Amino acid sequence: RRYDLHDEEINNFVKILKAMQDDTVGFVILELFPVFKKILPKVVRDKLFRLERINTAVLAARKLFTDIVNFHKEKLDREHAKCVIDEYLVQMEEKTDASQFFNEMDLMKTSFDLFGAGFDTTSNMLRWMCLYAAKYPEVQRIVQQQIDEVLPREEFPANKHKAQLPLLEAFIHEVLRLSSLIPFGVMRATNNEVYLAGYYIPKEGEAV
């Protein structure tokens, strides 16, 4: 499904995503320093780290993706699934050992990740590539020359051309290496205590 630039549904998602991004720093600080959860009253935490705004954005995202999932439920053709959401819904109905791990909340989270990556990460990556291509026109020139040698003007590069476009691939990898594409990593935690290569990793919530 493709969205028009002025589509209300996708523009609502963009607003939600930007609202979350604007308040990411406060949220990350609270996650990195959980002591603030203990020493600060809730009203102060909410104000200082903008938690109310984050919660509002989360609720809006949940409603949006509930509507999207419900739309796919209504149109679902179990014999001819058209996308990831359809395949997920079919898998949820299967009576297999794996189906117990599929649920609607995870489906909404996965859908949010796909929309987020498709909108924000991709557009940011393209922006960085344009900036570095403008800064290093000599690199831009040789990459363009290789593309012109491999592809006719009316054809876009595809995965099948990857082996023939090593300079383009090298350029993409170098931009990924140099750019600040994702300044904050995803927080991770273990459900149980773990020993890995001789190091002790406590479960979430435990002090080291």
Side-chain angles (χ1 to χ4, degrees):
R1 181 182 175 189
R2 297 185 67 86
Y3 289 88
D4 183 83
L5 284 173
H6 305 292
D7 188 281
E8 184 178 354
E9 186 176 55
I10 199 64
N11 282 321
N12 285 338
F13 172 74
V14 171
K15 290 176 184 176
I16 292 168
L17 200 62
K18 288 186 174 179
M20 288 180 171
Q21 289 172 338
D22 289 343
D23 299 317
T24 296
V25 174
F27 177 73
V28 169
I29 290 173
L30 194 60
E31 289 299 310
L32 292 176
F33 302 99
V35 66
F36 288 129
K37 296 178 182 178
K38 297 179 181 178
I39 65 175
L40 294 176
K42 184 179 183 303
V43 64
V44 176
R45 291 200 313 270
D46 289 353
K47 186 72 174 175
L48 189 61
F49 299 109
R50 301 182 179 182
L51 298 185
E52 286 185 2
R53 283 165 52 109
I54 292 174
N55 289 334
T56 299
V58 168
L59 290 174
R62 187 172 296 173
K63 182 185 182 306
L64 173 62
F65 284 95
T66 298
D67 293 342
I68 291 172
V69 170
N70 287 339
F71 172 83
H72 280 266
K73 281 182 178 178
E74 293 171 6
K75 305 290 183 180
L76 184 62
D77 181 351
R78 288 160 183 79
E79 299 302 319
H80 302 92
K82 301 182 185 69
C83 64
V84 173
I85 296 177
D86 285 356
E87 291 284 5
Y88 200 108
L89 289 170
V90 170
Q91 184 62 52
M92 282 175 60
E93 294 179 357
E94 296 289 332
K95 302 301 181 184
T96 65
D97 292 339
S99 62
Q100 63 180 308
F101 299 105
F102 290 76
N103 60 73
E104 203 161 301
M105 180 56 73
D106 280 350
L107 173 56
M108 287 192 287
K109 289 178 180 179
T110 300
S111 303
F112 181 89
D113 288 343
L114 289 171
F115 272 71
F119 166 76
D120 190 59
T121 312
T122 303
S123 60
N124 281 341
M125 180 60 192
L126 290 171
R127 188 179 298 115
W128 277 109
M129 289 180 69
C130 290
L131 289 170
Y132 275 109
K135 184 174 182 180
Y136 299 102
E138 67 281 3
V139 175
Q140 179 187 158
R141 197 173 299 112
I142 63 171
V143 172
Q144 182 65 59
Q145 183 179 349
Q146 187 175 78
I147 293 173
D148 289 340
E149 290 171 357
V150 173
L151 294 166
R153 280 286 178 176
E154 66 275 6
E155 190 174 351
F156 287 108
N159 197 51
K160 64 182 179 181
H161 304 117
K162 185 177 179 181
Q164 300 169 272
L165 297 169
L167 292 177
L168 176 59
E169 185 175 12
F171 174 69
I172 293 170
H173 286 177
E174 187 66 1
V175 173
L176 282 167
R177 185 183 71 84
L178 289 170
S179 63
S180 299
L181 185 62
I182 305 176
F184 298 109
V186 178
M187 280 78 75
R188 303 181 187 278
T190 57
N191 293 326
N192 300 294
E193 60 179 25
V194 177
Y195 284 92
L196 181 63
Y199 292 94
Y200 171 67
I201 303 173
K203 71 176 184 180
E204 183 181 11
E206 282 188 357
V208 179

